[in-house]
Amino acid sequence: MSEPIRVLVTGAAGQIAYSLLYSIGNGSVFGKDQPIILVLLDITPMMGVLDGVLMELQDCALPLLKDVIATDKEDVAFKDLDVAILVGSMPRREGMERKDLLKANVKIFKSQGAALDKYAKKSVKVIVVGNPANTNCLTASKSAPSIPKENFSCLTRLDHNRAKAQIALKLGVTANDVKNVIIWGNHSSTQYPDVNHAKVKLQGKEVGVYEALKDDSWLKGEFVTTVQQRGAAVIKARKLSSAMSAAKAICDHVRDIWFGTPEGEFVSMGVISDGNSYGVPDDLLYSFPVVIKFKSLICIIFKQNKTWKFVEGLPINDFSREKMDLTAKELTEEKESAFEFLSSA
């Protein structure tokens, strides 16, 4: 057995965490031989609910869970972390302007970024889920200057999985038969789900999605809007936001960070845009296609220090360019608003 790793989940009394924690504890994310110390953070009024979650995790009798710590204190929660999954955020309330939502979340993620900087390992991997995820992630990173920017990522894997699923449903195959879809940009309704480079396995042979579907108008129209608006559609039907699918996407995202991406496949992840070759401005937290590999032979031997890299050299057509620029513009505006609040928070 390896040494235990410390994994934090914030918003741990919420519905996404409730769908997520069992998968972390049973080895589905970090492997069946990796013991875990699971740290659960939530706000003080939720501590009663969190005690119930703690009891349930104990009652699961999971052999990999070496300890479970429930707390409302950042100095306890962020100490010596290997992985931080920041699910908790201020939800948008009725009548709330987007700038008010940004302001409330800047305060939360500035504080959590500072706690990461002060208490966590410098090698910590930080995954931001709480919305607006891209800008919250950038805020946390800016507030943790001693932790490499590349260690911060935000969740667009749910959008990626939604895109895969829509293509699979249309073609009558499983989602596993579809690979290399891309989510560009913001985890918002301006995101751009792109299947120009995606492949699908049909009758044992890999073909391009455009070639397989032969329905360009659907791929440029209904498919894009369905993925962009899927979260709102779930809320309308369920009267609650996505939880089970969000938890599954978090597991996929973190597992790829931990173990790397399969050969020949890339995934979507919100990462720092610095040095990209797709004309996206630097210093944005923007979703790109990435691969995750070991840095060197020594890292392979010791099974550590995987890093993400942009997938380079994908041709971008005019339709894609326009969509990619639109979501970059929204992220730039979000960033500017957030940074105004950040300097005064």
Side-chain angles (χ1 to χ4, degrees):
M1 277 277 185
S2 316
E3 282 292 302
I5 56 170
R6 284 180 85 90
V7 179
L8 166 68
V9 177
T10 72
Q15 59 157 355
I16 292 175
Y18 194 77
S19 293
L20 172 66
L21 294 170
Y22 178 75
S23 294
I24 294 174
N26 74 3
S28 295
V29 178
F30 298 103
K32 301 293 183 183
D33 59 352
Q34 179 58 68
I36 291 168
I37 296 167
L38 191 52
V39 187
L40 312 177
L41 176 68
D42 217 311
I43 56 175
T44 306
M46 296 302 291
M47 288 307 290
V49 176
L50 198 55
D51 282 341
V53 174
L54 173 63
M55 286 188 268
E56 284 214 66
L57 280 167
Q58 291 167 342
D59 296 347
C60 286
L62 295 165
L64 291 172
L65 270 190
K66 293 300 169 192
D67 196 9
V68 184
I69 299 160
T71 184
D72 58 355
K73 295 176 175 58
E74 286 185 345
D75 58 338
V76 175
F78 287 87
K79 187 172 172 54
D80 296 332
L81 290 180
D82 295 284
V83 178
I85 305 171
L86 308 183
V87 179
S89 65
M90 168 74 78
R92 192 167 188 168
R93 301 213 169 100
E94 199 173 337
M96 190 185 252
E97 294 287 331
R98 191 166 178 83
K99 68 178 189 320
D100 297 328
L101 182 70
L102 273 170
K103 188 174 185 179
N105 280 296
V106 162
K107 191 175 174 186
I108 294 166
F109 285 87
K110 181 182 182 182
S111 177
Q112 293 189 351
L116 284 162
D117 202 54
K118 187 172 181 181
Y119 301 112
K121 293 179 181 176
K122 299 308 171 195
S123 57
V124 65
K125 303 293 189 188
V126 184
I127 298 92
V128 176
V129 179
N131 286 319
N134 300 59
T135 301
N136 287 344
C137 189
L138 190 62
T139 300
S141 175
K142 294 286 184 188
S143 307
S146 69
I147 296 168
K149 290 186 281 191
E150 295 74 24
N151 288 24
F152 287 81
S153 59
C154 81
L155 188 77
T156 55
R157 188 61 169 269
L158 177 53
D159 310 303
H160 180 102
N161 287 350
R162 286 166 171 164
K164 277 179 73 167
Q166 288 301 311
I167 297 299
L169 285 165
K170 189 80 169 170
L171 286 168
V173 298
T174 70
N176 220 30
D177 293 321
V178 182
K179 70 176 188 181
N180 297 351
V181 304
I182 301 168
I183 302 297
W184 298 99
N186 200 1
H187 174 63
S188 75
S189 60
T190 68
Q191 66 174 262
Y192 170 44
D194 176 10
V195 292
N196 282 290
H197 315 286
K199 305 281 186 196
V200 61
K201 195 183 284 181
L202 290 176
Q203 292 147 1
K205 200 174 101 178
E206 266 190 9
V207 293
V209 164
Y210 266 84
E211 185 191 339
L213 269 171
K214 297 180 177 62
D215 191 346
D216 290 19
S217 63
W218 182 80
L219 284 168
K220 290 180 174 180
E222 189 184 332
F223 163 72
V224 171
T225 54
T226 297
V227 176
Q228 287 174 333
Q229 296 166 14
R230 188 68 161 186
V234 170
I235 290 171
K236 188 177 178 186
R238 241 189 121 227
K239 310 297 182 273
L240 290 166
S241 59
S242 305
M244 178 169 50
S245 56
K248 160 66 166 54
I250 296 165
C251 291
D252 291 344
H253 179 118
V254 177
R255 191 186 305 110
D256 283 345
I257 286 175
W258 205 251
F259 291 105
T261 45
E263 199 59 46
E265 287 192 36
F266 49 77
V267 295
S268 304
M269 203 173 272
V271 293
I272 194 70
S273 59
D274 298 2
N276 78 87
S277 61
Y278 292 106
V280 176
D282 283 354
D283 205 36
L284 290 180
L285 220 296
Y286 188 101
S287 182
F288 289 93
V290 301
V291 291
I292 302 162
K293 304 290 179 198
F294 285 109
K295 282 183 181 174
S296 67
L297 183 59
I298 288 175
C299 296
I300 293 171
I301 293 164
F302 290 100
K303 295 186 177 177
Q304 62 186 13
N305 285 330
K306 284 184 198 66
T307 185
W308 59 264
K309 287 183 176 172
F310 297 120
V311 176
E312 300 285 5
L314 298 173
I316 303 297
N317 62 30
D318 290 344
F319 179 82
S320 296
R321 180 79 267 157
E322 186 183 334
K323 298 282 188 191
M324 290 163 67
D325 289 347
L326 182 72
T327 192
K329 181 174 180 285
E330 181 183 59
L331 277 170
T332 302
E333 289 166 0
E334 271 190 24
K335 173 189 155 182
E336 285 166 0
S337 297
F339 281 21
E340 278 176 39
F341 300 135
L342 193 58
S343 56
S344 61

